[in-house]
Amino acid sequence: MSPLGLLQAERFPATPLSAGAIGPALCERAVELLDKLRRTEIVPYVLESSLLNLAQAVATRMETDDFKNTSGGPFVLTRMRAFTAASLAASSAGAVFQNVSVKPIDNDRNEPLAKAPVLLPVYLAVDDNALVLDRPHVLAPDGSLGVMVREGDTAGTTDLFWAFLGEVLYGDLLSAREVQELIALGLYPGFLGREVAWAQVEAMRWLFGDGPRCATLAGEALRWALRERVADLRQKLAWAERSTYVFGAGVIDITTNAVTSLPIGRFRNESGSPVALFRMNLATLTDAAASAAGAVFSNVSLEVYHSGPNRQLTKSPVLAPCLVGIRDSEWVFERPLVLGPGEAMEINAIEENVNGTTNVYAAVHGEHVRGLSAAELREAVSLGLYQPWRRSYT
């Protein structure tokens, strides 16, 4: 009997997931969401804003429009990062100040993300100026986040720069609510090495087992088509040839209050096969010297694009210490960004209103993946079938 014919001969009762089973209705919903997810492109995305010379002992709201999701797809927030300064300078960025409290807000839901303003040194990790969310927070297209800021009764000039980092889902297939469902079901690609459904043998046995699983014939047909597609992608990944690869370049003495582009040709994929990018590293120098490099300077902002598909990875220029960690000068992508043949990363540097000599160097790290097309590799990334090696252990 055919797999679809079996559906008419046998029914599976809804059994708790803890018992290793998924009920027919939930299984059908999971298959529907996975089919949408595989046809969705997931791309890193960053929102940033600033407040200068905070008023003491007064609550101030950062500009809402700066934190509006204008990407066109759901925004999946995975971390927040901040930088504080008395003034920007061509010197290494440091840990956040002790005199600023913040209260992030989801404006769409009118939902605060903290009960009351929280002091920065206990809201963020002081070694990296960042808060990594244990569960991603999803923002709908055209939705916005906000940050209420309060400077303690401390005499001094304090500037605050704040960034929301995460990723956007392109393709107009999944709503924000559906992305939340995927995350709740464990079907969204895992973050920071957390286990996803593909590693849960019992769950996958039910989703892709031989017997009927879905409530309808249409659901069963989609489940078998998805099962075949997953098997095809897994086989291609198993046979693919991979080799580490890095794109890198720099510019000398960038212009104050103007955009200086790093040479795009140095960041173009001319290999003929897709490259999966895992992270971007940044260095800022006043002069090349035989001495240890420090954290990124606070007087440089970055605009980053994925040219070809023309994707903005930063909605606006983002201050360097808000984009990369002060500990390692890295912006780690939650999942690989696929650079197809002929496509490039475009990185623009802006020296803020600081008159100094600033040299900017950037590199994007990843690997060649030969044996799949760029579209197939993006599909594997969206399904969580392809993950960087070191992310499994982070």
Side-chain angles (χ1 to χ4, degrees), residues 187-393:
L187 298 175
Y188 195 82
F191 292 87
L192 298 173
R194 289 174 175 81
E195 187 178 61
V196 293
W198 306 109
Q200 298 169 14
V201 176
E202 293 298 328
M204 284 301 98
R205 187 173 68 184
W206 266 84
L207 277 175
F208 294 115
D210 290 338
R213 297 292 183 261
C214 295
T216 68
L217 290 173
E220 275 296 285
L222 185 59
R223 184 176 73 86
W224 277 84
L226 182 62
R227 169 178 156 154
E228 183 178 356
R229 184 57 177 160
V230 167
D232 183 50
L233 289 172
R234 276 181 155 170
Q235 186 174 61
K236 288 184 176 181
L237 284 170
W239 290 349
E241 294 182 9
R242 310 184 197 191
S243 56
T244 187
Y245 205 70
V246 180
F247 301 91
V251 286
I252 307 300
D253 194 11
I254 62 175
T255 306
T256 305
N257 292 329
V259 173
T260 304
S261 298
L262 277 68
I264 192 170
R266 297 283 294 276
F267 294 96
R268 187 175 305 282
N269 176 16
E270 298 171 329
S271 68
S273 59
V275 175
L277 301 176
F278 306 145
R279 57 193 166 94
M280 186 181 92
N281 285 51
L282 187 68
T284 47
L285 312 168
T286 54
D287 214 349
S291 56
V296 291
F297 291 175
S298 66
N299 68 325
V300 177
S301 292
L302 280 298
E303 296 175 322
V304 187
Y305 301 85
H306 177 191
S307 70
N310 194 27
R311 306 291 196 203
Q312 279 184 284
L313 304 191
T314 57
K315 177 185 174 181
S316 59
V318 179
L319 199 71
C322 285
L323 187 64
V324 303
I326 60 171
R327 177 185 58 194
D328 53 19
S329 296
E330 284 189 342
W331 174 20
V332 179
F333 305 151
E334 291 292 350
R335 66 206 70 263
L337 173 67
V338 178
L339 205 64
E343 297 175 358
M345 295 289 286
E346 182 179 344
I347 303 171
N348 299 325
I350 300 140
E351 185 177 55
E352 301 296 340
N353 192 22
V354 177
N355 189 15
T357 300
T358 304
N359 306 331
V360 178
Y361 299 85
V364 284
H365 297 246
E367 64 182 12
H368 279 302
V369 183
R370 302 176 180 89
L372 291 85
S373 68
E376 288 172 329
L377 189 55
R378 288 186 180 114
E379 189 176 351
V381 169
S382 295
L383 284 172
L385 300 174
Y386 175 81
Q387 295 280 0
W389 177 265
R390 79 170 187 166
R391 301 296 276 168
S392 304
Y393 302 93

Side-chain angles (χ1 to χ4, degrees), residues 14-56:
T15 308
L17 184 58
S18 60
I22 301 175
L26 183 56
C27 183
E28 183 150 342
R29 180 58 174 162
V31 168
E32 178 187 357
L33 291 172
L34 277 171
D35 186 61
K36 289 183 179 182
L37 182 62
R38 75 175 182 84
R39 293 179 284 129
T40 297
E41 183 185 3
I42 307 178
V43 176
Y45 193 62
V46 183
L47 306 169
E48 192 246 48
S49 189
S50 62
L51 272 179
L52 306 183
N53 196 12
L54 301 180
Q56 295 173 27

